[in-house]
Amino acid sequence: MVTERLPPGPWPRSKTCWASGRGLPSSPADRRPLQQRGSDQEVRRRSKMQVSRRDVIRWASTGAIGAALLGLSESGGVRVSEAEGAEPPKADASALTRAEQGAQLTTLDSTITFGSRRVQRLPYRRLAAGPGVETLVREELQARGRTPSSKRTALATFGHITDTHVLDAANPGRLTFLWQYFDFSEEFPSNRRFRPQELLTVHVLDAMLRKLNAVHQGPVSRRPLDCLVTTGDLTNASALCELSAAVGVFKGHVVTSHPAGDYKGVQDYGRASLKLSHNFWHPEPEVAGSMPDNWKTIQGFPTVQGLLEAAIRPIPTEGTRYRWYTGLGNHDEAGRSTSASALRKADFIERLRLGDRLPLGLPQGMTTSAFWSAAADPDDKKRQALMDSMPYRRVPASKLRRPFSKGEFMDTAGEAGKTRFGSSAGPSGDSQPYYTFEVSPGVVGIMLNTASPDGGTKAVLDAEQAEWLERQLCLVSREAYDSKGRRVESNVQNRLVILFSHHPLSSFDLDHRSVGDPRPSLDRSAVLELISRFPNVVAWMNGHAHWHRVTPHKGKYEHAGGFWEITTASLIDFPQQSRIIEIIDNGDGTLSIIATLVDHSTPESVAYDGPHSARSLAALSLELASNRPGLDHAAAVGTSTDQNVNLLLRKPF
């Protein structure tokens, strides 16, 4: 693996450069982006490893959007059209213009690193700008030609966004009262359910779309973006208001992620248990009778006066200028458990999420295990008695916090973008959330649905979808291999294929069955075997793990060169980045898949003092996420082999 720097000049070029990257050093003395740190031995080891599966905890949380602003009805479903009487989107005067962004459009030119400590001797650090970082040409699947060709052609360019997790931080259905019973041995909730930046998910998504609009082309090929693709977890808890908020940002509506119009929750100074008061960040100045929380006194988190009000204020969004396609993630899947006990628990949680009570704790003397048993009691009166016995505070209620159906997801996302779900001609309720689409004239995208129907975190590819996938691959593969490894030819037009899904390959387990299908779903080896039979598959884009990874999968058969699996980190957690992907024919029998990371904000946009703008709040979200206690920065950003890369492979036809 080597690095090159691209000289200035028009495309095509005879010499290529692949540069970028990003990371946050643990020491102010080391200003190198994180992925450049560590031994060469570790880099080599990581580049050969398969991506390990992260245990992702599914929250009982939700997110939202203002009903009047996005055309939601308290008694009906989702309407993505402009609400009657809603104010049309306005330009955000504080948003970065393309000229202002200048050389900071991608991480090729500028990265983000840690700057000085905000408070001496406390961990919290401000963000600072760092230099662009040269990245690696990866040759595990194909060696680079000795003589670079001058006849290189850009075949496709698209943006990849994943795991936006738009949420309503004030939703009672998040069950925040249970957090006080978890481990606080390190003076913060070690279960990682609380994020100090969780109020600002809409602002981050808007900032990223503005940045991709400004970039508008591949940084290497200069080919205009063909489309944007999101790979699941658009929402945080499959709430109707979350879905409408996220879609509203893509459409350029005026949005807020809080349908109740007020914030009352663990981050204000309202009535709460002592543990919740001490162990969660409260951005506002302390009120009479309150003490600074541990995030401020131990970690050094700032006071940001006016944040709670600014975070729920509707913001005008720019929307995307490109075709947009999306897939389903496990947080977008409400689940359909057949267990009577699980259904009763779900009913109990839904009563909370739609109601006006924010529980503050368990009834006196009750354990968490006893609570869940009582919540699943067959007697409805006993379940109601449990709810009545819990201490609570009154909060604004909203029916928009109900879970959306799979049909509503497909209708809403399909109307907003260019998605045409499923293969049937019937209503979306009868279709499936997997489909094919044209990335560019020579490149086909196949969106898979790997979300488990039971709402779990594991990846699932059921037998019915696997058969559908095989049919789609056969339609664009003149040469392939059958299930017995025999080479077969078909009279079809060859096209390159890029797979998209929420889960990476490492999230597939053995013998995970799909609800409603008596046949077992495909395990990890079976999924890889199916894909490997089709040499035209050159890349697999996914998310879910909230980290950057790039993994080579070698071809199994004689004429199959393998494919690259590219996992992108989330927009809710550090490093809050997306990617631009360029597919380039090198003119020498090889392809390059060029992945370039994009930051949504700049360090200088962070502001603690008002007035707060959408731009400053998005930048603040990144700084808060970067300083989250217990965060493993190295795991999130990966090594330089997982950052901006030129991924070489044999051209399949």
Side-chain angles (χ1 to χ4, degrees):
M1 291 176 283
V2 297
T3 61
E4 294 182 297
R5 180 170 293 280
L6 185 67
W11 178 266
R13 301 181 175 96
S14 61
K15 190 175 182 181
T16 53
C17 153
W18 331 106
S20 112
R22 158 14 167 22
L24 296 177
S26 57
S27 167
D30 187 356
R31 298 300 298 274
R32 292 173 298 165
L34 184 60
Q35 73 277 9
Q36 286 196 327
R37 299 166 62 233
S39 66
D40 293 339
Q41 181 180 5
E42 172 65 11
V43 171
R44 289 192 295 270
R45 183 186 67 83
R46 288 285 306 284
S47 68
K48 295 179 180 179
M49 288 177 57
Q50 294 290 329
V51 180
S52 60
R53 179 168 58 88
R54 193 190 84 174
D55 221 355
V56 180
I57 302 174
R58 180 174 175 83
W59 299 12
S61 60
T62 186
I65 193 164
L69 293 171
L70 275 188
L72 290 180
S73 167
E74 288 281 358
S75 59
V78 184
R79 289 188 292 109
V80 186
S81 58
E82 293 284 357
E84 182 179 357
E87 182 181 348
K90 297 179 180 178
D92 184 355
S94 66
L96 281 175
T97 65
R98 188 173 302 171
E100 288 173 323
Q101 289 168 327
Q104 300 178 31
L105 284 174
T106 73
T107 53
L108 287 167
D109 305 288
S110 179
T111 56
I112 296 177
T113 185
F114 271 142
S116 61
R117 296 182 187 271
R118 198 190 71 84
V119 178
Q120 190 175 5
R121 295 188 299 276
L122 295 184
Y124 191 100
R125 294 184 183 277
R126 302 299 304 265
L127 298 182
V133 179
E134 294 190 1
T135 56
L136 299 176
V137 178
R138 295 190 58 175
E139 302 177 273
E140 292 98 314
L141 299 183
Q142 174 65 47
R144 185 172 47 174
R146 294 181 179 179
T147 304
S149 172
S150 60
K151 299 179 180 180
R152 305 176 71 222
T153 305
L155 304 177
T157 302
F158 61 90
H160 181 221
I161 300 174
T162 192
D163 295 80
T164 60
H165 286 271
V166 171
L167 64 91
D168 168 19
N171 191 335
R174 300 187 67 197
L175 308 182
T176 54
F177 69 94
L178 289 177
W179 296 357
Q180 63 192 288
Y181 305 106
F182 295 121
D183 180 19
F184 284 83
S185 59
E186 299 183 70
E187 307 296 345
F188 60 87
S190 58
N191 62 10
R192 305 196 305 174
R193 294 197 175 192
F194 171 70
R195 297 173 167 104
Q197 72 275 14
E198 61 191 17
L199 283 158
L200 307 173
T201 53
V202 160
H203 306 80
V204 170
L205 178 55
D206 174 54
M208 183 56 75
L209 292 184
R210 290 177 185 270
K211 177 58 74 68
L212 291 174
N213 286 341
V215 173
H216 78 89
Q217 62 184 5
V220 174
S221 68
R222 304 296 186 261
R223 178 188 174 95
L225 289 177
D226 293 290
C227 61
L228 299 184
V229 186
T230 59
T231 50
D233 282 3
L234 196 63
T235 69
N236 195 68
S238 61
L240 177 65
C241 47
E242 295 175 342
L243 175 63
S244 301
V247 168
V249 178
F250 277 94
K251 288 184 68 68
H253 288 176
V254 180
V255 302
T256 173
S257 60
H258 300 82
D262 193 11
Y263 176 82
K264 293 184 178 180
V266 294
Q267 289 189 266
D268 67 12
Y269 288 105
R271 183 183 169 202
S273 71
L274 192 61
K275 262 195 171 183
L276 292 179
S277 296
H278 285 178
N279 293 295
F280 291 88
W281 179 56
H282 299 72
E284 302 290 344
E286 287 68 39
V287 298
S290 66
M291 295 291 291
D293 56 62
N294 290 336
W295 290 63
K296 292 179 178 178
T297 59
I298 297 176
Q299 301 296 328
F301 270 65
T303 294
V304 186
Q305 187 169 3
L307 174 62
L308 296 183
E309 180 182 354
I312 66 173
R313 186 184 305 134
I315 63 169
T317 63
E318 185 170 281
T320 179
R321 299 173 185 170
Y322 308 101
R323 291 180 289 126
W324 170 55
Y325 303 94
T326 190
L328 198 72
N330 54 287
H331 280 262
D332 305 314
E333 173 64 77
R336 55 176 193 268
S337 174
T338 57
S339 164
S341 174
L343 291 173
R344 289 191 292 268
K345 288 180 183 178
D347 175 72
F348 184 87
I349 294 174
E350 186 164 352
R351 291 187 194 183
L352 286 176
R353 68 194 288 177
L354 298 181
D356 63 353
R357 298 182 180 186
L358 179 66
L360 302 176
L362 295 172
Q364 186 69 31
M366 178 175 279
T367 64
T368 54
S369 59
F371 164 77
W372 285 116
S373 295
D377 195 289
D379 190 334
D380 182 68
K381 292 183 178 179
K382 290 184 178 180
R383 296 202 304 275
Q384 184 60 48
L386 170 63
M387 189 173 297
D388 293 339
S389 66
M390 298 166 61
Y392 64 89
R393 57 186 286 202
R394 292 285 183 186
V395 296
S398 175
K399 294 180 181 179
L400 302 176
R401 288 167 170 157
R402 70 168 175 82
F404 55 78
S405 68
K406 192 173 294 184
E408 286 175 318
F409 178 88
M410 292 187 283
D411 286 341
T412 306
E415 181 184 348
K418 298 294 182 181
T419 302
R420 295 295 179 265
F421 290 98
S423 56
S424 69
S428 60
D430 298 326
S431 300
Q432 294 296 329
Y434 46 82
Y435 57 96
T436 65
F437 62 98
E438 184 177 272
V439 177
S440 68
V443 181
V444 172
I446 299 182
M447 179 67 73
L448 302 175
N449 172 28
T450 57
S452 176
D454 62 8
T457 62
K458 293 181 180 180
V460 170
L461 187 69
D462 58 42
E464 179 181 355
Q465 185 179 176
E467 292 169 356
W468 172 88
L469 172 60
E470 183 173 1
R471 291 195 300 271
Q472 305 311 308
L473 292 173
C474 287
L475 292 175
V476 292
S477 301
R478 180 168 296 179
E479 296 181 359
Y481 296 86
D482 64 17
S483 59
K484 296 182 179 180
R486 296 172 299 196
R487 187 177 178 184
V488 295
E489 295 186 5
S490 303
N491 187 23
V492 297
Q493 182 181 357
N494 268 323
R495 300 182 74 181
L496 298 179
V497 177
I498 303 176
L499 300 180
F500 297 87
S501 71
H502 179 63
H503 295 83
L505 180 64
S506 58
S507 290
F508 286 87
D509 278 344
L510 300 175
D511 303 322
H512 194 70
R513 305 180 74 89
S514 172
V515 176
D517 191 337
R519 299 171 295 177
S521 59
L522 276 66
D523 60 32
R524 189 180 308 175
S525 61
V527 172
L528 184 58
E529 169 64 24
L530 172 58
I531 298 172
S532 298
R533 288 167 44 202
F534 296 89
N536 289 10
V537 176
V538 296
W540 183 357
M541 308 295 305
N542 51 57
H544 181 65
H546 292 215
W547 58 27
H548 293 316
R549 295 293 186 274
V550 178
T551 307
H553 295 283
K554 294 184 177 181
K556 181 178 179 180
Y557 301 101
E558 180 182 358
H559 297 281
F563 67 92
W564 288 95
E565 182 179 8
I566 304 173
T567 303
T568 302
S570 75
L571 278 192
I572 193 171
D573 289 323
F574 171 84
Q576 294 190 350
Q577 292 176 312
S578 296
R579 297 189 198 257
I580 293 177
I581 305 297
E582 301 171 82
I583 311 296
I584 295 176
D585 183 343
N586 291 322
D588 60 357
T590 68
L591 295 176
S592 282
I593 301 174
I594 301 173
T596 303
L597 290 172
V598 177
D599 289 315
H600 60 75
S601 297
T602 57
E604 56 267 27
S605 298
V606 178
Y608 299 154
D609 301 321
H612 302 290
S613 66
R615 169 187 169 187
S616 68
L617 292 175
L620 177 63
S621 174
L622 176 56
E623 184 172 285
L624 296 172
S626 302
N627 282 279
R628 184 179 176 183
L631 174 66
D632 186 343
H633 294 88
V637 301
T639 70
S640 55
T641 61
D642 303 309
Q643 299 290 309
N644 291 5
V645 284
N646 170 20
L647 309 173
L648 291 172
L649 73 162
R650 183 193 310 173
K651 186 180 177 182
F653 56 85

